Amino acid sequence: PNGATEGCWCMWFRESRQEYRARRGDGNRAALRAIVDDSELTPGLLAYQGERPVGWVSVAPRTDYSRLARSRVAKRVDDAPVWSIVCFFIHRDARGQGVMHALVDAAVKFARDHGATTIEAYPQDTAGRQPSADDAFVGLLPVFERAGFVEVARHTPNRPLVRLVL
């Protein structure tokens, strides 16, 4: 009902800081609804346990996420046309059950099926500490490593840029 965290509705990476603040909450919900209604591609994928949605991953071409162009963490390493996995939401009751792993696998398949040749992400490297839900919204490094992603850059200490060539 809140759009995951603080009215984000998975718009943080798609908007400037000013746009995000102005639209937080219902405005971001409407903005995501417009993308779903008007886009030729799905802006993300849902995970279900039975009939109940329990998780979300945002995956799309990197160019769909305007904030990445200004990000120190996700600074481009080359001009390759890549897809990006930028965020997750996993319902509290479903955490620790492999939902993030399933979402990464589904995102890779989805990107491949839509013509991607490379997919990248910008997860947290929690290096020996228990990750918090706040850490996990961008994904966790071991999850990506298990899916075959490799680190190609590290612009900040805890946030590697990882890639998988498809």
Side-chain angles (χ1 to χ4, degrees), residues 25 45 125 154:
L45 305 172
D125 180 356
R154 191 176 286 240

Side-chain angles (χ1 to χ4, degrees), residues 9-26:
W9 290 98
C10 210
M11 294 302 295
W12 173 259
F13 290 100
R14 295 177 183 276
E15 300 175 322
S16 71
R17 183 174 302 225
Q18 295 80 9
E19 290 169 325
Y20 180 81
R21 285 183 178 158
R23 293 184 194 179
R24 178 180 261 157
D26 289 339

Side-chain angles (χ1 to χ4, degrees), residues 47-129:
Y48 286 84
Q49 286 180 340
E51 298 291 316
R52 183 175 166 242
V54 295
W56 158 266
V57 62
S58 185
V59 57
R62 181 184 167 103
T63 54
D64 286 8
Y65 303 112
S66 62
R67 193 176 291 254
L68 294 181
R70 300 177 300 279
S71 171
R72 188 173 65 131
V73 168
K75 187 170 125 180
R76 273 194 173 277
V77 294
D78 56 30
D79 291 331
V82 301
W83 278 52
S84 295
I85 296 174
V86 295
C87 69
F88 296 84
F89 177 78
I90 305 198
H91 190 277
R92 176 177 294 118
D93 296 341
R95 294 177 189 158
Q97 299 176 31
V99 174
M100 186 178 289
H101 290 280
L103 285 167
V104 168
D105 292 345
V108 168
K109 181 182 182 321
F110 180 81
R112 180 185 290 122
D113 290 351
H114 287 85
T117 56
T118 305
I119 189 166
E120 67 183 24
Y122 324 96
Q124 277 285 343
D125 180 356
T126 56
R129 64 183 170 86

Side-chain angles (χ1 to χ4, degrees), residues 125 141 145 149-154 160-163:
D125 180 356
L141 181 58
E145 290 173 331
F149 285 71
V150 295
E151 184 173 332
V152 296
R154 191 176 286 240
L161 189 153
V162 296
R163 277 192 176 171

